[in-house]
Amino acid sequence: MSIRIALENPPEFYTNLDIIRGQVVLTLSRPEQIGGIIVKLEGEAKSALGVPADGSGTGIAQRERTPTGDVIYENHKILYKVTQAFPDEKPNTLPQPYVLAAGQHRFPFQFKFPFNNACGDPVAMAKLGGLSGAGGIASGSGLFGLGGIRVMDGTKQLMYSHVTKTLPPSFTGFPGQCEIRYYVKVTIQRPGFFKENWRMQTGLKFLPIEPPRPPKTNHEAYARRPFAFRPRSPRTNASSKKRASFFSGWTGSSNAGSSSVPTTTTAADGKLATEPEVPPSIEMSARLPHPAIITCNQPIPLRLIAKKLAGSDAEIFLTAIQIDLIGQTEVRCHDLINTETSRWVIVSRQGLSIPVSRLGDPVGTEVVLPNDIWCNQPLPNTVMPSFVTCNLSREYQLEVKLGLSWGKPVASISHATTASSLFGRNKNEGTDLAQEIHLPLHFSSVEVYSGIAPPAALIEAMKQGKNKRPQSQRPPSQPVRPTTSSSSAETGPSTAPQQQPPALPPRTNAAQPPTAAGTAAGVVVPPPADPVYPPQLAPGEMEPPYDDAPPSYDEAMAEIMSGPVIPDGVPRPAYSGVTNENEPSTLPAGGNEKS
């Protein structure tokens, strides 16, 4: 017996709205009885943190200490879809075993990646397994009403704090602490008390669609820093090529009335010393388009601008540049939080000699530095987009370090004076050593997008969906109170504005309250109330109101929209957020939940 999951044309990674197709290839060496073949598309966001030894953890972290170590876990089912590949789903019939002959058998399956994470929907999670999960995805007339399909206990997800966000990217990199993984699981059910089910799974890489970008404007986000070099001490005048004689100190006194005296003084060694120069002052600024967004696998749209602040004729050169992308991963586990910092060096160049301030430039002159140093350096493929999920989040910062020199850099001077030093002259004679300074420019918040644009039809539908809502789907602006008439509420402004309730997302046809006519028309009837937790009825109510959570507009549109359009022959960019998507989990066994 062998099981293999064969995916159809698997890309470098999957994204939202992608349709994943494949086949379960089952090879049997002898006839076998099969109860069913269940395929699941799952995604998990796991985290594990240790409780501090000093007992600083509080709340749940203090109550969930395990005997094997003070480590607590969270496992969020961010994606959970189930389908039955064999036999055909028939909810009104009891599961019957089937005998498969020896040989190779193929069972196709298909899933569609949604937009948002699944664990943020408490109604959907409560319907998966547990006592409160009568019906739900695995509804049927089999054992316990689950049709013979084993699903996870979604009630465990209700103990965690959740957020509803776009599915996060696949992610590993902090072994034993956190990871985000996606995979396809196959379970072949074998009837019988002493027969174990056959299981197989394969890992996937996932990279989400980026949110709609704001329209392009001329606004820029900047990080700037003004600075000034230190004044130099008076130096000896080396402009004269005539060597000073022993009597130069007395002969210079006869020229006391000449015009050169006000600008020179006599040094102790008899040489002429010039007055100190005015130190240059300049402002360096790094600019990004506002809002500050950079894209995976693409260069950083950075601009470097130098502005002259003081009236000095000195020359300033850019000698070094380093651009670092700083990622901060926040790992949350109940009430414990740990932040891990990662750093990517995008560009690092030394020994440059790029003029920043030229001779004769007036005060206020701006010089845009050439971007050929970093314009051809894309982000590494290990950089994932910014994301926020229930127990993990990733944020980015950008740091630009600049090295500036007052005067020619030392490396440039040494090459020019190598020949003269061979004849016995000092190579630094007549020149001042360059004064160098290093400036950091820091962007405290930068968004990283995946570079996968959503379909244009979806963006347009989402814009129209916010404005085109049926009147019947809009909640009342304020509940009517018996003591206040409608006429009095419309006359005159109110002294204290009342808080409006949040707007409800639109309901689909399958989520409308059932009526006699609607049931005949094919509208889905809501599931019966859970006998363990009966609904609370208001005075005078005979039946509970229909309160099934409606889907959000983007989730409803995602069911009819196709995935992002990629031109033929253009492969998706590489993404290495997961080194090996099929390697075993690095988290302890306490963080794994059976599903």
Side-chain angles (χ1 to χ4, degrees), residues 17 34 40 44 60 66 112 192 201 225 240-241 261 273 293 300 308 378 386 410 415 425 513 540 569 577 579 585:
L17 305 181
I34 302 298
K40 302 176 184 178
E44 293 181 332
I60 301 178
T66 59
K112 188 173 185 178
Q201 74 176 38
R225 184 184 294 270
S240 177
K241 296 183 179 180
V261 173
I293 298 175
I300 300 177
K308 191 173 183 179
S386 308
V410 178
H415 289 295
R425 292 170 53 189
T579 305
S585 175

PDB file of all heavy atoms in Angstrom, residues 17 34 40 44 60 66 112 192 201 225 240-241 261 273 293 300 308 378 386 410 415 425 513 540 569 577 579 585:
ATOM      1  N   LEU A  17      -7.341  33.207  -3.354  1.00  0.00           N
ATOM      2  CA  LEU A  17      -8.196  32.976  -4.520  1.00  0.00           C
ATOM      3  C   LEU A  17      -7.633  31.951  -5.474  1.00  0.00           C
ATOM      4  O   LEU A  17      -8.271  31.652  -6.496  1.00  0.00           O
ATOM      5  CB  LEU A  17      -8.481  34.280  -5.270  1.00  0.00           C
ATOM      6  CG  LEU A  17      -9.093  35.429  -4.468  1.00  0.00           C
ATOM      7  CD1 LEU A  17      -9.334  36.628  -5.376  1.00  0.00           C
ATOM      8  CD2 LEU A  17     -10.373  35.006  -3.798  1.00  0.00           C
ATOM      9  N   ILE A  34     -12.542   0.198   2.128  1.00  0.00           N
ATOM     10  CA  ILE A  34     -12.341   1.619   2.364  1.00  0.00           C
ATOM     11  C   ILE A  34     -13.675   2.239   2.755  1.00  0.00           C
ATOM     12  O   ILE A  34     -14.690   2.046   2.057  1.00  0.00           O
ATOM     13  CB  ILE A  34     -11.764   2.330   1.126  1.00  0.00           C
ATOM     14  CG1 ILE A  34     -10.436   1.686   0.708  1.00  0.00           C
ATOM     15  CG2 ILE A  34     -11.577   3.812   1.403  1.00  0.00           C
ATOM     16  CD1 ILE A  34      -9.345   1.782   1.750  1.00  0.00           C
ATOM     17  N   LYS A  40      -8.231  17.434   3.433  1.00  0.00           N
ATOM     18  CA  LYS A  40      -8.332  18.684   4.190  1.00  0.00           C
ATOM     19  C   LYS A  40      -7.245  19.649   3.731  1.00  0.00           C
ATOM     20  O   LYS A  40      -6.106  19.243   3.501  1.00  0.00           O
ATOM     21  CB  LYS A  40      -8.179  18.434   5.700  1.00  0.00           C
ATOM     22  CG  LYS A  40      -9.190  17.461   6.274  1.00  0.00           C
ATOM     23  CD  LYS A  40      -8.912  17.180   7.741  1.00  0.00           C
ATOM     24  CE  LYS A  40      -9.862  16.137   8.295  1.00  0.00           C
ATOM     25  NZ  LYS A  40      -9.584  15.819   9.715  1.00  0.00           N
ATOM     26  N   GLU A  44      -1.933  26.439   9.906  1.00  0.00           N
ATOM     27  CA  GLU A  44      -1.770  26.578  11.349  1.00  0.00           C
ATOM     28  C   GLU A  44      -0.746  27.662  11.649  1.00  0.00           C
ATOM     29  O   GLU A  44       0.285  27.755  10.983  1.00  0.00           O
ATOM     30  CB  GLU A  44      -1.310  25.255  11.983  1.00  0.00           C
ATOM     31  CG  GLU A  44      -2.341  24.149  11.921  1.00  0.00           C
ATOM     32  CD  GLU A  44      -1.848  22.873  12.576  1.00  0.00           C
ATOM     33  OE1 GLU A  44      -0.619  22.657  12.594  1.00  0.00           O
ATOM     34  OE2 GLU A  44      -2.671  22.096  13.075  1.00  0.00           O
ATOM     35  N   ILE A  60      -3.539  33.347  32.261  1.00  0.00           N
ATOM     36  CA  ILE A  60      -3.526  31.988  31.742  1.00  0.00           C
ATOM     37  C   ILE A  60      -2.124  31.409  31.776  1.00  0.00           C
ATOM     38  O   ILE A  60      -1.933  30.219  31.975  1.00  0.00           O
ATOM     39  CB  ILE A  60      -4.095  31.976  30.315  1.00  0.00           C
ATOM     40  CG1 ILE A  60      -5.517  32.528  30.338  1.00  0.00           C
ATOM     41  CG2 ILE A  60      -4.098  30.583  29.731  1.00  0.00           C
ATOM     42  CD1 ILE A  60      -6.147  32.610  28.965  1.00  0.00           C
ATOM     43  N   THR A  66       2.987  23.150  32.564  1.00  0.00           N
ATOM     44  CA  THR A  66       2.975  21.721  32.336  1.00  0.00           C
ATOM     45  C   THR A  66       4.052  21.065  33.176  1.00  0.00           C
ATOM     46  O   THR A  66       5.073  21.669  33.512  1.00  0.00           O
ATOM     47  CB  THR A  66       3.242  21.427  30.854  1.00  0.00           C
ATOM     48  OG1 THR A  66       4.512  21.976  30.496  1.00  0.00           O
ATOM     49  CG2 THR A  66       2.157  22.076  29.991  1.00  0.00           C
ATOM     50  N   LYS A 112     -10.259  26.050  -2.819  1.00  0.00           N
ATOM     51  CA  LYS A 112     -10.000  27.436  -3.170  1.00  0.00           C
ATOM     52  C   LYS A 112      -9.556  28.181  -1.925  1.00  0.00           C
ATOM     53  O   LYS A 112     -10.237  28.141  -0.895  1.00  0.00           O
ATOM     54  CB  LYS A 112     -11.251  28.095  -3.761  1.00  0.00           C
ATOM     55  CG  LYS A 112     -10.990  29.494  -4.320  1.00  0.00           C
ATOM     56  CD  LYS A 112     -12.207  30.029  -5.048  1.00  0.00           C
ATOM     57  CE  LYS A 112     -11.898  31.372  -5.708  1.00  0.00           C
ATOM     58  NZ  LYS A 112     -13.048  31.895  -6.466  1.00  0.00           N
ATOM     59  N   GLY A 192     -13.454  -0.882  10.901  1.00  0.00           N
ATOM     60  CA  GLY A 192     -12.958  -1.954  11.766  1.00  0.00           C
ATOM     61  C   GLY A 192     -12.317  -1.382  13.007  1.00  0.00           C
ATOM     62  O   GLY A 192     -11.679  -0.322  12.952  1.00  0.00           O
ATOM     63  N   GLN A 201       0.237  13.618   4.199  1.00  0.00           N
ATOM     64  CA  GLN A 201       0.139  15.064   4.070  1.00  0.00           C
ATOM     65  C   GLN A 201       1.332  15.587   3.276  1.00  0.00           C
ATOM     66  O   GLN A 201       2.399  14.969   3.229  1.00  0.00           O
ATOM     67  CB  GLN A 201       0.078  15.757   5.434  1.00  0.00           C
ATOM     68  CG  GLN A 201       1.383  15.803   6.192  1.00  0.00           C
ATOM     69  CD  GLN A 201       1.268  16.574   7.488  1.00  0.00           C
ATOM     70  OE1 GLN A 201       0.262  16.491   8.184  1.00  0.00           O
ATOM     71  NE2 GLN A 201       2.300  17.312   7.825  1.00  0.00           N
ATOM     72  N   ARG A 225      18.680  64.385   8.624  1.00  0.00           N
ATOM     73  CA  ARG A 225      19.551  64.727   9.756  1.00  0.00           C
ATOM     74  C   ARG A 225      20.549  65.791   9.312  1.00  0.00           C
ATOM     75  O   ARG A 225      21.377  65.534   8.434  1.00  0.00           O
ATOM     76  CB  ARG A 225      20.283  63.491  10.267  1.00  0.00           C
ATOM     77  CG  ARG A 225      21.140  63.740  11.503  1.00  0.00           C
ATOM     78  CD  ARG A 225      21.901  62.475  11.858  1.00  0.00           C
ATOM     79  NE  ARG A 225      21.007  61.421  12.273  1.00  0.00           N
ATOM     80  CZ  ARG A 225      20.617  61.214  13.528  1.00  0.00           C
ATOM     81  NH1 ARG A 225      21.064  62.007  14.490  1.00  0.00           N
ATOM     82  NH2 ARG A 225      19.820  60.223  13.835  1.00  0.00           N
ATOM     83  N   SER A 240      53.161  77.491  -1.332  1.00  0.00           N
ATOM     84  CA  SER A 240      54.395  77.980  -1.962  1.00  0.00           C
ATOM     85  C   SER A 240      55.335  76.820  -2.205  1.00  0.00           C
ATOM     86  O   SER A 240      55.566  76.001  -1.313  1.00  0.00           O
ATOM     87  CB  SER A 240      55.068  79.017  -1.063  1.00  0.00           C
ATOM     88  OG  SER A 240      56.281  79.424  -1.642  1.00  0.00           O
ATOM     89  N   LYS A 241      55.836  76.735  -3.424  1.00  0.00           N
ATOM     90  CA  LYS A 241      56.721  75.638  -3.757  1.00  0.00           C
ATOM     91  C   LYS A 241      58.162  75.912  -3.328  1.00  0.00           C
ATOM     92  O   LYS A 241      58.990  75.021  -3.359  1.00  0.00           O
ATOM     93  CB  LYS A 241      56.684  75.396  -5.269  1.00  0.00           C
ATOM     94  CG  LYS A 241      55.312  74.947  -5.747  1.00  0.00           C
ATOM     95  CD  LYS A 241      55.324  74.652  -7.238  1.00  0.00           C
ATOM     96  CE  LYS A 241      53.963  74.176  -7.709  1.00  0.00           C
ATOM     97  NZ  LYS A 241      53.947  73.884  -9.148  1.00  0.00           N
ATOM     98  N   VAL A 261      49.750  90.107   4.366  1.00  0.00           N
ATOM     99  CA  VAL A 261      49.917  89.958   5.809  1.00  0.00           C
ATOM    100  C   VAL A 261      48.612  89.694   6.529  1.00  0.00           C
ATOM    101  O   VAL A 261      48.545  88.879   7.424  1.00  0.00           O
ATOM    102  CB  VAL A 261      50.636  91.195   6.379  1.00  0.00           C
ATOM    103  CG1 VAL A 261      50.674  91.152   7.893  1.00  0.00           C
ATOM    104  CG2 VAL A 261      52.041  91.273   5.806  1.00  0.00           C
ATOM    105  N   ALA A 273      51.204  80.268   8.503  1.00  0.00           N
ATOM    106  CA  ALA A 273      49.993  79.532   8.855  1.00  0.00           C
ATOM    107  C   ALA A 273      48.782  80.295   8.376  1.00  0.00           C
ATOM    108  O   ALA A 273      48.706  81.513   8.541  1.00  0.00           O
ATOM    109  CB  ALA A 273      49.911  79.327  10.373  1.00  0.00           C
ATOM    110  N   ILE A 293       6.082  52.181   1.351  1.00  0.00           N
ATOM    111  CA  ILE A 293       5.794  50.807   0.949  1.00  0.00           C
ATOM    112  C   ILE A 293       6.935  50.316   0.080  1.00  0.00           C
ATOM    113  O   ILE A 293       7.325  50.978  -0.886  1.00  0.00           O
ATOM    114  CB  ILE A 293       4.461  50.707   0.181  1.00  0.00           C
ATOM    115  CG1 ILE A 293       3.287  51.148   1.065  1.00  0.00           C
ATOM    116  CG2 ILE A 293       4.229  49.296  -0.328  1.00  0.00           C
ATOM    117  CD1 ILE A 293       1.970  51.193   0.329  1.00  0.00           C
ATOM    118  N   ILE A 300      14.407  48.910  -3.511  1.00  0.00           N
ATOM    119  CA  ILE A 300      13.789  49.901  -2.635  1.00  0.00           C
ATOM    120  C   ILE A 300      13.704  51.220  -3.381  1.00  0.00           C
ATOM    121  O   ILE A 300      14.724  51.717  -3.893  1.00  0.00           O
ATOM    122  CB  ILE A 300      14.611  50.059  -1.343  1.00  0.00           C
ATOM    123  CG1 ILE A 300      14.693  48.724  -0.595  1.00  0.00           C
ATOM    124  CG2 ILE A 300      14.008  51.123  -0.445  1.00  0.00           C
ATOM    125  CD1 ILE A 300      15.550  48.775   0.642  1.00  0.00           C
ATOM    126  N   LYS A 308      22.813  71.909   1.123  1.00  0.00           N
ATOM    127  CA  LYS A 308      23.887  72.716   1.704  1.00  0.00           C
ATOM    128  C   LYS A 308      23.292  73.732   2.673  1.00  0.00           C
ATOM    129  O   LYS A 308      22.365  74.463   2.343  1.00  0.00           O
ATOM    130  CB  LYS A 308      24.654  73.421   0.600  1.00  0.00           C
ATOM    131  CG  LYS A 308      25.943  74.084   1.066  1.00  0.00           C
ATOM    132  CD  LYS A 308      26.738  74.608  -0.122  1.00  0.00           C
ATOM    133  CE  LYS A 308      28.069  75.206   0.328  1.00  0.00           C
ATOM    134  NZ  LYS A 308      28.859  75.701  -0.819  1.00  0.00           N
ATOM    135  N   PRO A 378      17.417  43.955  -5.486  1.00  0.00           N
ATOM    136  CA  PRO A 378      16.089  43.633  -4.946  1.00  0.00           C
ATOM    137  C   PRO A 378      16.181  43.087  -3.528  1.00  0.00           C
ATOM    138  O   PRO A 378      17.258  42.698  -3.043  1.00  0.00           O
ATOM    139  CB  PRO A 378      15.566  42.578  -5.926  1.00  0.00           C
ATOM    140  CG  PRO A 378      16.804  41.921  -6.457  1.00  0.00           C
ATOM    141  CD  PRO A 378      17.861  42.996  -6.510  1.00  0.00           C
ATOM    142  N   SER A 386       4.625  42.233   5.360  1.00  0.00           N
ATOM    143  CA  SER A 386       4.109  42.552   6.692  1.00  0.00           C
ATOM    144  C   SER A 386       2.764  41.862   6.881  1.00  0.00           C
ATOM    145  O   SER A 386       1.949  41.791   5.956  1.00  0.00           O
ATOM    146  CB  SER A 386       3.955  44.058   6.858  1.00  0.00           C
ATOM    147  OG  SER A 386       5.154  44.733   6.530  1.00  0.00           O
ATOM    148  N   VAL A 410      40.779  59.446   1.938  1.00  0.00           N
ATOM    149  CA  VAL A 410      42.185  59.066   2.073  1.00  0.00           C
ATOM    150  C   VAL A 410      42.594  58.100   0.983  1.00  0.00           C
ATOM    151  O   VAL A 410      43.696  58.164   0.443  1.00  0.00           O
ATOM    152  CB  VAL A 410      42.420  58.452   3.468  1.00  0.00           C
ATOM    153  CG1 VAL A 410      43.868  57.992   3.609  1.00  0.00           C
ATOM    154  CG2 VAL A 410      42.069  59.457   4.547  1.00  0.00           C
ATOM    155  N   HIS A 415      46.299  57.142  -3.811  1.00  0.00           N
ATOM    156  CA  HIS A 415      46.590  56.728  -5.185  1.00  0.00           C
ATOM    157  C   HIS A 415      47.249  57.862  -5.962  1.00  0.00           C
ATOM    158  O   HIS A 415      48.111  57.627  -6.808  1.00  0.00           O
ATOM    159  CB  HIS A 415      45.295  56.292  -5.881  1.00  0.00           C
ATOM    160  CG  HIS A 415      44.762  54.995  -5.365  1.00  0.00           C
ATOM    161  ND1 HIS A 415      45.428  53.804  -5.510  1.00  0.00           N
ATOM    162  CD2 HIS A 415      43.611  54.714  -4.685  1.00  0.00           C
ATOM    163  CE1 HIS A 415      44.732  52.834  -4.954  1.00  0.00           C
ATOM    164  NE2 HIS A 415      43.619  53.365  -4.438  1.00  0.00           N
ATOM    165  N   ARG A 425      59.503  62.323  -1.057  1.00  0.00           N
ATOM    166  CA  ARG A 425      58.616  63.334  -0.510  1.00  0.00           C
ATOM    167  C   ARG A 425      57.492  62.661   0.266  1.00  0.00           C
ATOM    168  O   ARG A 425      57.049  61.571  -0.057  1.00  0.00           O
ATOM    169  CB  ARG A 425      58.027  64.181  -1.649  1.00  0.00           C
ATOM    170  CG  ARG A 425      59.048  65.046  -2.352  1.00  0.00           C
ATOM    171  CD  ARG A 425      58.451  65.664  -3.600  1.00  0.00           C
ATOM    172  NE  ARG A 425      57.197  66.359  -3.282  1.00  0.00           N
ATOM    173  CZ  ARG A 425      56.388  66.845  -4.221  1.00  0.00           C
ATOM    174  NH1 ARG A 425      56.689  66.682  -5.501  1.00  0.00           N
ATOM    175  NH2 ARG A 425      55.273  67.462  -3.860  1.00  0.00           N
ATOM    176  N   PRO A 513     -33.171  34.847   6.870  1.00  0.00           N
ATOM    177  CA  PRO A 513     -34.039  34.109   7.772  1.00  0.00           C
ATOM    178  C   PRO A 513     -35.025  33.268   7.000  1.00  0.00           C
ATOM    179  O   PRO A 513     -35.582  33.687   5.989  1.00  0.00           O
ATOM    180  CB  PRO A 513     -34.733  35.231   8.568  1.00  0.00           C
ATOM    181  CG  PRO A 513     -33.845  36.399   8.432  1.00  0.00           C
ATOM    182  CD  PRO A 513     -33.222  36.291   7.081  1.00  0.00           C
ATOM    183  N   GLY A 540     -42.153  36.860  25.409  1.00  0.00           N
ATOM    184  CA  GLY A 540     -43.093  36.854  24.297  1.00  0.00           C
ATOM    185  C   GLY A 540     -42.596  36.159  23.065  1.00  0.00           C
ATOM    186  O   GLY A 540     -43.367  35.969  22.108  1.00  0.00           O
ATOM    187  N   GLY A 569       3.994  32.599 -19.152  1.00  0.00           N
ATOM    188  CA  GLY A 569       5.443  32.544 -19.237  1.00  0.00           C
ATOM    189  C   GLY A 569       6.176  33.316 -18.176  1.00  0.00           C
ATOM    190  O   GLY A 569       7.406  33.264 -18.125  1.00  0.00           O
ATOM    191  N   GLY A 577      10.278  31.862   2.595  1.00  0.00           N
ATOM    192  CA  GLY A 577       9.891  32.026   3.995  1.00  0.00           C
ATOM    193  C   GLY A 577       9.931  30.729   4.762  1.00  0.00           C
ATOM    194  O   GLY A 577      10.118  30.717   5.978  1.00  0.00           O
ATOM    195  N   THR A 579      11.997  27.120   4.658  1.00  0.00           N
ATOM    196  CA  THR A 579      13.127  26.432   4.035  1.00  0.00           C
ATOM    197  C   THR A 579      12.691  25.120   3.413  1.00  0.00           C
ATOM    198  O   THR A 579      13.013  24.807   2.268  1.00  0.00           O
ATOM    199  CB  THR A 579      14.230  26.190   5.075  1.00  0.00           C
ATOM    200  OG1 THR A 579      14.583  27.439   5.679  1.00  0.00           O
ATOM    201  CG2 THR A 579      15.453  25.581   4.423  1.00  0.00           C
ATOM    202  N   SER A 585       7.517  19.613  12.287  1.00  0.00           N
ATOM    203  CA  SER A 585       7.374  20.829  13.087  1.00  0.00           C
ATOM    204  C   SER A 585       8.497  20.918  14.111  1.00  0.00           C
ATOM    205  O   SER A 585       8.933  19.908  14.684  1.00  0.00           O
ATOM    206  CB  SER A 585       6.016  20.848  13.782  1.00  0.00           C
ATOM    207  OG  SER A 585       5.906  21.957  14.640  1.00  0.00           O
TER     208      SER A 585
END
